[in-house]
Amino acid sequence: MPAHAIYILDSKGRPIISKNFRDDLPHNVAQRFSTRLVEEEEINMKPVLEDEGYSYIYIKHPSNLYFMAVAERNANAMMILLFMYKLVEVFEDYFEDLQEESIRDNFVIIYELLDEMMDFGYPQITEAKILKEYITQQGHKLTKSQVRVPVQATGITPWRPEGIKHRKNEVFLDVIEKINLLVASNGTLLRSEIVGTVRVRCHLSGMPDLRLGLNDRVQFETGETGSSPKGKTIEMEDITFHQCVKLTQFENNKIISFVPPDGEFELMTYRLNTNVKPLIWVEARVESYKNSRVEYLVKAKSQFKPRSTANNVQIFIPVPPDADSPKFKASIGTVDYAPEKNAIVWTIKQFQGAREYLLRAHFGLPTITDEENPAAKPPITVAFEIPYFTVSGIQVRYLKIVEKSGYQALPWVRYITQSGDYQIKLS
């Protein structure tokens, strides 16, 4: 079921702008939502509230604005929530700073956008690039160009207008994988996962059709697992695609085929729930001397192949909040004391694979601590980036570009592995 109305409310739940698409709602429907906001604590609030046969589906913007849709109880809440986020995205594209004042100053444009983005409660055009082709903005006024709906607004590719021309046709593909892991001080892996993103920067003329092929080891959770001729399979989970991907071809043949938007976009995201060997392992030996000083011996070791290099490595080693008089000696990089983080920050610009480095640190401890009830020690955290490397083994086998004019295009592929929530517990 569709949405019956859209409301934009202030921080106290009072309506600023509303658009009723069906004219069948009670007059006090917004007041009911405001009452729920006041009555319930924010921590207990859920994105979908139900009251007297209606569902209130809403999101809260960082500027303390509420974007709320009213629908019947059997409505598709996920579809409406997604539309609300797209609505905010379009408004931010038009007004940049989305505040209560900008909503009031641009109410004419907002009503025009709501008319185009939703028809009788059903989502229609949600791409800002397409909307800007026939809804233009000048100051706080709205002007419409010729009374003509662009072909792409009603065609099969609403995310890409026709007639795009580039002097040089090329497309850039970034395969970015972030590692989230938690390791015990003895090396036991407590939590491990890879979160991947395939980002595209497209500068192609016309209406190109692209096909992306990954290496044979990749297996999708939606398909048959099968067998891999070389090594272990890479089982992707929680796969999401940009709307340009032709899902029917993917479901039937596991082919990622798409007509891309112009510019930058996320083609797909995925997750791999797998055991990952820590690419950078850090050990810290801590010795306290009668609560007068504390010394650290930190060893950092890169556990990837020598031909790869980790860039901008930062290792955060926690220290007591009352530590002072820091002294450092490191075999590589620079070391700083960050009192606001209660941590030593060891920075290594380039950390080559299969290398090991040491850091010695000395602090004074002016206060006496309770040795019988020591405070829990925060973990060591590590930040890094390794170019031309994917820890999962995912590779792009081909990227075919087909366009009716037959031009030649250059595809570029780059691999990057980054740290996500990367933590190593202290002993």
Side-chain angles (χ1 to χ4, degrees), residues 22-84:
R22 294 187 166 240
D23 296 323
D24 58 355
L25 292 176
H27 293 293
N28 64 340
V29 67
Q31 181 61 40
R32 294 181 192 172
F33 178 74
S34 302
T35 303
R36 292 290 294 272
L37 284 180
V38 174
E39 289 177 350
E40 296 195 29
E41 296 182 8
E42 186 172 352
I43 193 172
N44 296 325
M45 291 290 287
K46 299 176 181 178
V48 180
L49 303 175
E50 293 187 348
D51 184 71
E52 297 187 13
Y54 291 101
S55 294
Y56 298 85
I57 304 165
Y58 75 98
I59 60 175
K60 185 178 181 181
H61 192 266
S63 60
N64 289 325
L65 292 173
Y66 290 91
F67 290 78
M68 186 263 291
V70 183
E72 294 182 350
R73 280 192 176 178
N74 60 345
N76 188 335
M78 187 58 69
M79 178 195 74
I80 296 174
L81 265 178
L82 180 60
F83 174 80
M84 303 302 283

Side-chain angles (χ1 to χ4, degrees), residues 362-392:
H362 175 281
F363 286 90
L365 291 176
T367 60
I368 298 175
T369 58
D370 185 357
E371 294 185 357
E372 293 183 0
N373 299 297
K377 296 178 181 178
I380 296 170
T381 59
V382 186
F384 59 84
E385 180 175 290
I386 307 176
Y388 316 112
F389 178 83
T390 56
V391 68
S392 69

Side-chain angles (χ1 to χ4, degrees), residues 283-285 287 289 294-300 317 326-332 334-336 344 346 357-363:
E283 294 180 24
R285 192 174 70 197
E287 294 185 4
Y289 296 90
V294 61
E295 294 182 354
Y296 292 82
L297 177 60
V298 182
K299 180 171 69 175
I317 303 104
K327 295 179 183 178
F328 307 116
K329 184 178 180 180
S331 57
I332 192 174
T334 60
V335 187
D336 297 295
I344 303 168
W346 186 9
Y357 301 108
L358 293 176
L359 161 67
R360 294 182 184 273
H362 175 281
F363 286 90

Side-chain angles (χ1 to χ4, degrees), residues 109-147:
I109 300 173
I110 289 173
Y111 278 119
E112 291 287 347
L113 287 171
L114 288 172
D115 279 339
E116 299 297 341
M117 295 180 70
M118 183 167 275
D119 183 25
F120 202 57
Y122 292 95
Q124 301 295 316
I125 307 167
T126 57
E127 291 293 328
K129 288 182 180 179
I130 306 303
L131 290 164
K132 280 189 172 182
E133 290 201 0
Y134 60 101
I135 296 181
T136 58
Q137 174 188 6
Q138 187 175 3
H140 301 309
K141 296 180 181 179
L142 174 71
T143 59
K144 264 197 174 184
S145 57
Q146 299 178 1
V147 184

